[in-house]
Amino acid sequence: MSGDERYDAVIVGAGVAGALIAKRLTLAGFRVLVLEAGPATAASYEGYSNHLERFYEASGKGPESAWPPAANAPQPDTADLRQNNGYFVQNGPDLYGSSYTRLQGGSTLHWLGVSLRMLPDDFKLRSRYGVGRDWPLSYDDIEPFYRKAEEEIGVSADVADQKYHGLTFADGYDYPMQRVPLSYSDRKLAAAVDGLQVALDEAPVALKVRSYPAARNSTPRGSYRPLGAVDMREDGKAVERFFGQRCAGNTSCTPICPIQAKYNAGKTLAQADRNKLQVFAQAVASKIDIDTVTGEVQSVTYQRYQGISRSVYRAKARVYVLAAHAVENAKLMLASGLTGPKEMVGKTLMDHPALYAWGLAPETIGAFRGPLSTAGIEELRAGAFRAKHAAFRFDIGNDGWRATTGAPDTAVADAVAKNLFGRKLRDQLSSTLSRQVRFSLAIEQLPEPGNCVSIDPRYLDPLGNPRPVISYKIGEYTLAGMAAATKVYRQIFQRAGIEDFSDKSGSGWFPSVQYGEVTYRYHGMGHFSGTHAMGGDSSSSVVDSYQRSWNHRNLYLAGSGSFPTMGTSNPTLTLSALAIRTAERLISELTA
Amino acid sequence: MRPMRERMDLFLGLSEVLTGFGRFQLLGTAMAGDYLRTLDVALPAGVLDELLAAYEQLPEEAAREAAVAAQILGEPKLGPVARNLILLWYCGTWTALPDNWRAAYGVSLLDITRVISSESYQAGLQWEAVGAHPAGSRQQGFGAWSLAPEGSSL
């Protein structure tokens, strides 16, 4: 072992949470070391372009196709679900359907960019509805940090669209950029279904096709300046490339935005003070070393790999932040023998299990154009029904059946197999593909102790670090939510004259769950959370509201692992708000 | 083998018939030369020239469509190759021929399922047929996704 350079903070993970904290700490004058398990191949403009080429040349164009795994920092891939033979050791009974990326920039390299705030009700699910648990924070506590996060990651939306279910905004506030224009298909759908009344078990609500906040560059408000592609050079200089300051409709947010008009954590890292920041890529944190008397962290042991060489180091700092991902944070804690109060580390793993619904609109809707989605249906994210079943939201796709059946390639292959050719082939593809509609129905999931990440010495990666062992079951609350969401999408399809193909074609390989007589095929949304949940006291949680470990007072665990419950928002905006709150706390602590 | 120019001419003629796109658009993909070479290396020697000869012998106009179905797509040796050629133009991919075809007519080492190149993916005619653009490429600019597509009513 070697290396004993002292930093103010060591941050494990160069994804969005780690980057936001690193930027703020370095700009406040503190010295920060970031340890990133994966390579930094997406940091330079040239490197990023290579990932784009990789996507073009990939046979399957799934979410991971642009981002191959590093052997020494392996990662899950949704394609592994077909055989259940990937990085995750899945104990079941249900398959956990999501993936993430271990790379400098993290999973923001292939996220969709949906940046919804959580609802005020989402922070007090237990006291309002008697299920799940309450957060130690209220919406009002986190609201100022939502504003900061929206500024940091660059969110486009109009407040006028977003005041629903009790969401409030500071006086005079609007998002840094105007909303991303709705797609033609959104407008078409809105014309058909806006105002449609649906009733779950109470008063009916009127549905609305609504623009959602997205971390994609749009027309700026006031003095806000959208940041496009960045180029982190080998010499440590970050250079702005003058494109990507507006979304240009590449229809490829996932797996890769070619022009970086969509936020990724590399942009935040590029804004840190480079004189105060050291980033080591291909540096896998393998153990948190604890002083057994005080319980404080003494150092983080990490392994660097390059070609066939391997070296082990220790990093020392005044404070330590794990920002490696909900699963990787838990894994690292457990590998260090740190199980948290009541052995809660790794427990209550959640996701948004999601169903696809797809069909053919009665006339062209201009499918396969624009950001992968630009609108959603948010009315069923809240309601008295939450005492009985999960809330949910619908994402309305702009990309046809790409995610559900592999269109357009599969549609071409099917037509050709039927010996269609020439003008008839071309006309049939034109008239069907441009009418393809896809919804994702993302369902809330409650924290259940049995759903967890654990480790097992039998399952190790090439560096000898544990692979995550996952136990997961989709409970009754979520299943009943799936049934309700299915009922609602069918009403929408019927009103809009959309012919339902959800059960007729494709996606037979998705994992399934049974509820009563019905089989639901589901997929993950990549919304890993709950593995080091925050709470009001050390008897019921791993971290406090600042994401500070109750048991190890110079250790912070950042990210969606800290969420006590998920609500129905995609987690990145909320975890960004929490990261900024943590960074501010750290600055005052390190200053004192 | 025929002179290169003549082969390319026949190849484009055949491709027009199979894809439903005109020669001007096919040439505009800038992929014709690559695709002709792809067939040459993915097929056992002589098969492509047989396919081109079958195209050359097609009757004119009225009887042509039925003849394509019978003499090319319905022909055991040429049918799978012609279908692959359609997929090549539409998707930019070569699809490995069926095992029974390979057993009957021979195997080429380069007969493997693959995206031919980054360019072939982006040149796929399927995107043109949809009225869209290849995902991740050929962006139309901010807000273009709001424009009414061809054949729309709004």
Side-chain angles (χ1 to χ4, degrees), chain A residues 13-186:
Chain A
V16 55
L20 286 168
I21 295 171
K23 174 185 164 184
R24 279 179 140 69
L25 292 188
T26 57
L27 293 179
F30 297 105
R31 298 186 62 228
V32 173
L33 171 65
V34 175
L35 301 172
E36 169 52 50
T41 48
S44 71
Y45 180 70
E46 190 189 350
Y48 193 92
S49 303
N50 290 338
H51 283 284
L52 180 61
E53 284 295 310
R54 189 174 177 103
F55 161 69
Y56 290 153
E57 290 168 4
S59 285
K61 292 199 158 38
E64 301 83 6
S65 54
W67 315 106
N72 292 314
Q75 64 195 20
D77 187 313
T78 43
D80 299 335
L81 292 171
R82 294 174 191 236
Q83 307 291 332
N84 188 14
N85 60 353
Y87 172 55
F88 287 160
V89 180
Q90 298 231 25
N91 275 344
D94 298 326
L95 288 175
Y96 193 93
S98 287
S99 69
Y100 53 90
T101 298
R102 297 176 78 189
L103 202 64
Q104 189 171 312
S107 303
T108 52
L109 289 165
H110 68 70
W111 72 316
L112 182 55
V114 183
S115 299
L116 293 155
R117 295 181 176 197
M118 286 177 68
L119 306 175
D121 268 6
D122 293 338
F123 294 91
K124 44 189 182 188
L125 207 56
R126 167 64 60 181
S127 43
R128 289 280 281 128
Y129 301 106
V131 296
R133 49 194 175 190
D134 288 351
W135 286 55
L137 287 169
S138 69
Y139 178 80
D140 289 340
D141 292 331
I142 202 173
E143 200 279 337
F145 298 96
Y146 272 139
R147 276 182 271 144
K148 290 176 186 181
E150 285 154 359
E151 172 94 9
E152 282 287 352
I153 70 178
V155 179
S156 298
D158 294 353
V159 157
D161 292 330
Q162 307 303 328
K163 290 180 173 167
Y164 55 85
H165 296 322
L167 284 171
T168 55
F169 296 82
D171 278 349
Y173 176 77
D174 212 329
Y175 285 85
M177 292 173 280
Q178 294 172 19
R179 73 180 195 183
V180 173
L182 288 175
S183 66
Y184 175 81
S185 61
D186 294 333

Side-chain angles (χ1 to χ4, degrees), chain A residues 122 231 360 436 471 558:
Chain A
D122 293 338
D231 183 8
L360 281 184
Q436 291 187 343
S471 300

Side-chain angles (χ1 to χ4, degrees), chain A residues 52-53 55-59 61 179-185 187-188 191 217-219 246-252 256 258-259 363-371 374 398 402 407-409 412-413 416-417 419-426 429-431 433-434, chain B residues 16-22 25 64-66 68-69 73-74 79 82-84 86-87 90-93 113-119 121-122 126-154:
Chain A
L52 180 61
E53 284 295 310
F55 161 69
Y56 290 153
E57 290 168 4
S59 285
K61 292 199 158 38
R179 73 180 195 183
V180 173
L182 288 175
S183 66
Y184 175 81
S185 61
R187 293 193 284 130
K188 224 28 217 175
N217 287 336
S218 173
T219 309
R246 296 290 184 282
C247 170
N250 274 286
T251 323
S252 179
I256 180 168
I259 57 173
E363 62 172 65
T364 179
I365 55 164
F368 298 93
R369 308 185 314 164
T374 32
N398 291 328
R402 183 163 80 155
D409 295 61
V412 178
V416 171
N419 274 341
L420 276 179
F421 69 95
R423 194 73 221 190
K424 277 189 186 153
L425 169 68
R426 182 177 168 183
L429 292 172
S430 298
S431 66
L433 287 166
S434 68
Chain B
E16 283 186 279
V17 167
L18 290 176
T19 62
F21 282 87
Q25 285 156 306
R64 178 168 271 214
E65 188 162 324
V68 172
L73 292 170
R83 283 187 284 277
N84 259 16
I86 300 176
L87 293 181
Y90 270 85
C91 305
T93 53
T113 299
R114 67 191 197 280
V115 177
I116 299 305
S117 62
S118 164
E119 290 75 20
Y121 162 71
Q122 296 171 72
Q126 56 182 340
W127 307 109
E128 187 72 24
V130 182
H133 69 104
S137 178
R138 303 192 185 168
Q139 60 190 33
Q140 312 79 47
F142 182 68
W145 52 91
S146 290
L147 299 173
E150 227 173 282
S152 64
S153 70
L154 197 74

